């Protein structure tokens, strides 16, 4: 694996002016200084190119450690450590995340250091994009490797701040990890500089002033403490930066019907997308689609492993205001976010499906599992059978086909009449397509960094921490009513704001690599008491040492200086 020392040796890469091309070649700093206008596009696109390798482990370490997904079983892939919380310092995916982050930091810093400001506004604007990339990298690094901000940021360790290649690299020594507070300050300074310098908006696949403001709203939200003990100064700053984005005429929330197809739009054709890392189909040849982010969540057109599904916990949240029914002949989406879930209904050779009663039962050792039992209808009486046991369905809401049964263990379980969903091992395949089908191309996906929907929720949470519950409710319901027709809350107060806003963030931002960080930064514990091979009984507290990842051992071994590892307990 490449080490941070190697990363800092990287020459400035030159590419064509298209962001979807990989960088090639190099240029001397004197040539760059003499002709910055001719150099900047290639240099900058080389920096954007680093984000492509970075975005894959970024998604996995953020999303897999949460409670929106269930995998079919244990895996030898390094990403399984994210799910199991079995932290080790020798994880190839974490190494890629670390290395790609510092490559982007090094390249952005070298451009900043080589090209002076003030020559013209267009050039300054592109240098501002470098500041955005660098600030974003430091933020994503510190939230992965540093403890939540509310936990002693002045003493807890963040990541090394190394901005550019030293002139005397052979004899260079690099600083140890800065504190969490100092790392956040670096990210904020860079993002504010980006906000100041960027005057040209080149679209959502490039950094922009609004992208910097959206990221600042999130950074300050992460610094705003918990609901029980908020830092109101930082909460106000989160509101201030969210205001700047929301008031911009450049972005708008997609209407419900369009939002349900969010994943199919390219970033350039989506008014809600503020910044995304552009991917194009030519980067995926043949079975390469298997290895993209969406490939674990589904198999589309024969592409993808389809081994990781929506969790029962997330599905239950989607159904809180009414059952979402994916059966083709009864298709009904109550919560628009359910449109990103696609169960794989089993069909026989003639194309017919099998009706079942599906529920979740208690299993051994305080675990749970799915059951799908074939149904029999006799007039108004519905039964289901398992071996010689026959169970009568009692209506809970017959209109939505929600019933209960008294099972053979003597317990009463609630479930739904549905079609049989194909099992992978023992888990129904509730495919996730939120990271697939961009431009209708199977597993193509441009990883989303910021969109307007998140900014509204940032502001809602910050308002709640400021005890401005009226404004928080307005923002929360703006998002909620978009997804659930007339689904807005009638009130919000100190007793329910945290639970309701966090729930909406989980629903809205699922499969965008935010969930695990949202849980821990607010001092909550992560529990995953739903069917799956993950520990169903464990509760990961926000103070647990496993909340943060280990610094890659390869980086520590190659580091020119001391690089302190995270605690092992």
């Amino acid at each position: 694996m490449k080490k941070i020392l190697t990363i800092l040796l990287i020459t400035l890469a030159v590419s064509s002016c298209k962001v979807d091309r990989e960088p090639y070649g190099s240029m001397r700093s004197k040539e760059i200084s003499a002709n910055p206008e001719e150099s900047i596009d290639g240099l900058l696109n080389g920096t954007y190119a680093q984000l492509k390798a970075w975005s894959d482990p970024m998604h996995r370490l953020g999303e897999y450690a949460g409670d929106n997904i269930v995998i079919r079983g244990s895996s030898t892939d390094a990403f399984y450590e994210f799910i199991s919380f079995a932290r080790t310092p020798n994880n190839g995916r974490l190494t890629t995340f670390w290395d790609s982050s510092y490559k982007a930091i090094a390249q952005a810093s070298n451009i900043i250091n080589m090209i002076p400001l003030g020559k013209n506004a267009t050039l300054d604007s592109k240098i501002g994009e470098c500041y955005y990339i660098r600030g974003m990298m430091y933020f994503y690094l510190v939230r992965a490797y540093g403890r939540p901000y509310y936990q002693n940021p002045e003493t807890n360790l963040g990541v090394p701040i190394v901005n550019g290649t030293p002139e005397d690299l052979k004899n260079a020594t690099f600083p140890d990890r800065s504190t969490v507070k100092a790392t956040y300050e670096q990210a904020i300074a860079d993002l504010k500089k980006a906000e100041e310098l960027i005057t040209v908006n080149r679209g959502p696949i490039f950094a922009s002033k609004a992208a910097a403001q959206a990221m600042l709203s999130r950074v300050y939200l992460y610094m705003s403490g918990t609901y029980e003990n908020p830092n109101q100064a930082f909460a106000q700053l989160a509101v201030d930066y969210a205001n700047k984005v929301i008031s911009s005429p450049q972005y708008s929330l997609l209407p419900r019907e369009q939002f349900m197809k969010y994943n199919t739009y390219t970033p350039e054709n989506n008014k809600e997308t503020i910044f995304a890392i552009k991917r194009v189909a030519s980067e995926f040849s043949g079975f390469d689609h298997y290895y993209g982010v969406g490939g674990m969540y589904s198999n589309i057109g024969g592409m993808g492993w389809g081994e990781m599904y929506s969790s029962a916990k997330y599905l239950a949240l989607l159904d809180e205001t009414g059952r979402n029914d994916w059966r083709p002949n009864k298709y009904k989406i109550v919560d628009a976010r359910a449109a990103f879930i696609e169960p794989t209904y089993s069909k026989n050779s003639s194309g017919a499906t099998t009706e079942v009663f599906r529920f979740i039962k208690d299993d051994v050792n305080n675990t749970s599992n799915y059951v799908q039992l074939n149904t029999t209808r006799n007039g108004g009486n519905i039964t289901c059978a398992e071996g010689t046991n026959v169970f009568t369905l009692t209506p809970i809401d017959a209109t939505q086909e929600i019933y209960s049964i008294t099972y053979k263990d003597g317990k009463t379980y609630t479930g739904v009449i549905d079609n049989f969903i194909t099992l992978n091992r023992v888990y129904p395949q509730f495919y996730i397509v939120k990271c697939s089908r961009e431009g209708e191309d199977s597993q193509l996906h441009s990883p989303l960094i910021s969109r307007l929907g998140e900014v509204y929720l940032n502001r809602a949470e910050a308002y709640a921490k400021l005890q401005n519950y009226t404004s928080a409710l307005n923002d929360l319901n703006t998002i909620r009513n978009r997804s659930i027709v007339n689904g807005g809350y009638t009130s919000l107060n100190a007793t329910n704001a945290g639970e309701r806003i966090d729930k909406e963030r989980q629903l809205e931002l699922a499969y965008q690599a935010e969930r695990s960080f949202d849980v821990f930064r607010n001092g909550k514990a992560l529990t995953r008491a739903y069917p799956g091979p993950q520990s169903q009984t464990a509760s990961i507290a926000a103070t647990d040492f496993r909340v943060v990842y280990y610094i890659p051992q390869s980086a520590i071994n190659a580091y020119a200086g001391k690089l302190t590892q995270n605690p092992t307990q």
Side-chain angles (χ1 to χ4, degrees):
M1 293 295 180
K2 293 181 174 65
K3 317 298 192 293
I4 192 170
L5 183 60
T6 307
I7 292 166
L8 292 172
L9 280 165
I10 294 174
T11 55
L12 290 170
V14 181
S15 73
S16 77
C17 61
K18 293 183 179 179
V19 75
D20 56 272
R21 292 287 299 278
E22 292 294 327
Y24 65 90
S26 61
M27 295 182 68
R28 297 180 181 275
S29 60
K30 289 183 179 179
E31 296 173 358
I32 295 169
S33 298
N35 298 290
E37 291 92 342
E38 296 178 9
S39 311
I40 187 68
D41 284 337
L43 298 171
L44 185 53
N45 287 333
T47 308
Y48 279 111
Q50 299 298 341
L51 303 184
K52 297 181 181 183
W54 167 85
S55 64
D56 183 278
M58 177 277 292
H59 176 95
R60 298 178 198 268
L61 69 88
E63 194 62 50
Y64 293 3
D67 52 6
N68 295 324
I69 60 99
V70 59
I71 191 170
R72 67 169 190 165
S74 60
S75 174
T76 57
D77 192 294
F79 68 57
Y80 193 69
E81 291 184 8
F82 309 157
I83 299 170
S84 66
F85 281 81
R87 303 293 186 239
T88 71
N90 296 305
N91 183 299
R93 291 187 182 272
L94 280 178
T95 302
T96 298
F97 174 70
W98 177 276
D99 288 357
S100 298
S101 298
Y102 275 103
K103 284 180 183 180
I105 287 170
Q107 292 190 214
S109 297
N110 286 338
I111 296 171
I112 290 167
N113 295 337
M114 284 185 187
I115 301 177
L117 292 170
K119 190 163 186 179
N120 60 65
T122 300
L123 191 59
D124 284 358
S125 186
K126 291 178 180 178
I127 296 171
E129 294 180 39
C130 293
Y131 278 104
Y132 171 84
I133 292 171
R134 191 171 76 181
M136 180 178 72
M137 290 297 100
Y138 277 122
F139 171 64
Y140 275 80
L141 280 166
V142 75
R143 76 174 191 170
Y145 296 108
R147 298 207 63 81
Y149 195 86
Y150 79 92
Q151 299 175 13
N152 304 313
E154 298 86 356
T155 55
N156 284 332
L157 294 180
V159 296
I161 296 174
V162 185
N163 292 334
T165 308
E167 290 186 11
D168 184 5
L169 187 60
K170 182 178 180 180
N171 298 307
T173 58
F174 302 118
D176 196 1
R177 297 166 64 187
S178 297
T179 64
V180 167
K181 183 175 184 288
T183 311
Y184 268 81
E185 288 172 345
Q186 173 70 49
I188 289 168
D190 283 341
L191 292 168
K192 286 185 174 179
K193 192 68 174 177
E195 180 192 24
E196 171 194 339
L197 291 174
I198 300 176
T199 55
V200 179
N201 190 325
R202 301 199 288 156
I205 63 174
F206 298 95
S208 64
K209 184 184 294 291
Q213 292 164 342
M215 189 60 65
L216 282 163
S217 79
R218 190 196 304 176
V219 172
Y220 282 122
L221 191 69
Y222 271 59
M223 300 170 74
S224 67
T226 65
Y227 288 100
E228 296 76 18
N229 187 26
N231 184 312
Q232 295 194 328
F234 290 137
Q236 184 60 58
L237 286 166
V239 168
D240 294 343
Y241 278 98
N243 286 341
K244 293 181 180 183
V245 181
I246 292 169
S247 64
S248 169
Q250 195 148 16
Y251 306 98
S252 58
L253 294 174
L254 296 183
R256 174 185 161 91
E257 295 302 317
Q258 292 182 29
F259 174 67
M260 291 165 67
K261 301 176 182 178
Y262 199 108
N263 57 307
T264 68
Y265 300 129
T266 61
E268 303 94 320
N269 294 308
N270 192 324
K271 291 288 288 182
E272 190 167 332
T273 298
I274 299 169
F275 180 60
I277 298 166
K278 177 67 174 177
R279 306 306 300 266
V280 294
S282 61
E283 293 174 338
F284 295 95
S285 59
F287 285 88
D288 287 350
H289 274 313
Y290 271 78
Y291 297 94
V293 168
M296 278 303 296
Y297 294 144
S298 62
N299 180 296
I300 299 173
M303 294 293 178
W305 302 105
E307 296 180 358
M308 194 175 287
Y309 317 118
S310 186
S311 71
K313 182 175 183 177
Y314 187 72
L315 294 171
L317 287 179
L318 289 173
D319 285 342
E320 271 194 350
T321 54
R323 179 190 173 184
N324 296 281
D325 196 336
W326 293 280
R327 289 174 290 180
N329 62 329
K330 296 188 177 184
Y331 191 76
K332 181 181 180 182
I333 298 299
V334 176
D335 188 320
R337 278 84 55 122
F340 305 123
I341 310 299
E342 295 182 2
T344 58
Y345 289 121
S346 179
K347 296 180 181 180
N348 63 21
S349 57
S350 63
T353 57
T354 301
E355 184 181 88
V356 298
F357 178 64
R358 185 176 59 256
F359 61 98
I360 294 173
K361 68 167 184 174
D362 292 336
D363 218 332
V364 297
N365 300 321
N366 296 314
T367 61
S368 60
N369 212 337
Y370 283 100
V371 181
Q372 298 188 102
L373 303 180
N374 291 359
T375 59
T376 300
R377 293 177 181 264
N378 184 8
N381 186 50
I382 308 174
T383 59
C384 61
E386 185 177 44
T388 59
N389 295 301
V390 178
F391 313 106
T392 299
L393 275 62
T394 302
I396 300 295
D397 186 336
T399 302
Q400 298 188 79
E401 293 190 279
I402 302 172
Y403 293 83
S404 68
I405 64 168
T406 300
Y407 192 51
K408 62 185 179 182
D409 60 6
K411 297 179 180 179
T412 299
Y413 298 109
T414 298
V416 296
I417 291 178
D418 201 352
N419 296 334
F420 183 86
I421 298 175
T422 308
L423 300 178
N424 196 328
R425 296 187 180 171
V426 297
Y427 306 112
Q429 295 183 144
F430 285 94
Y431 277 174
I432 302 158
V433 297
K434 198 174 185 181
C435 302
S436 306
R437 291 209 182 100
E438 183 177 315
E440 304 296 342
D441 190 318
S442 69
Q443 300 296 358
L444 185 61
H445 172 62
S446 292
L448 187 62
I449 301 300
S450 293
R451 64 179 174 91
L452 189 59
E454 181 214 342
V455 180
Y456 271 99
L457 291 173
N458 291 350
R459 193 169 70 173
E461 181 179 331
Y463 273 139
K465 288 176 176 176
L466 291 167
Q467 299 180 350
N468 183 347
Y469 296 113
T470 299
S471 295
L473 179 63
N474 288 337
D475 282 342
L476 182 62
N477 281 345
T478 294
I479 297 303
R480 191 164 178 81
N481 283 323
R482 192 251 303 258
S483 284
I484 307 168
V485 177
N486 298 320
Y489 295 113
T490 57
S491 65
L492 200 71
N493 54 54
T495 66
N496 60 26
E499 182 268 331
R500 289 181 173 180
I501 293 170
D502 286 356
K503 177 167 55 178
E504 207 62 29
R505 285 186 73 90
Q506 181 170 9
L507 283 165
E508 184 73 10
L509 306 181
Y511 318 116
Q512 291 178 213
E514 299 297 323
R515 174 60 181 164
S516 61
F517 298 112
D518 274 350
V519 172
F520 297 133
R521 69 177 174 80
N522 268 319
K524 306 299 183 184
L526 180 75
T527 58
R528 297 183 288 184
Y530 51 80
Q534 79 287 343
S535 175
Q536 297 183 32
T537 58
S539 178
I540 309 296
T543 53
D544 194 293
F545 77 96
R546 294 170 294 175
V547 165
V548 295
Y549 293 99
Y550 287 128
I551 304 295
Q553 189 61 45
S554 57
I556 292 175
N557 293 343
Y559 198 69
K562 180 183 179 182
L563 185 54
T564 302
Q565 183 58 279
N566 276 323
T568 57
Q569 60 181 2

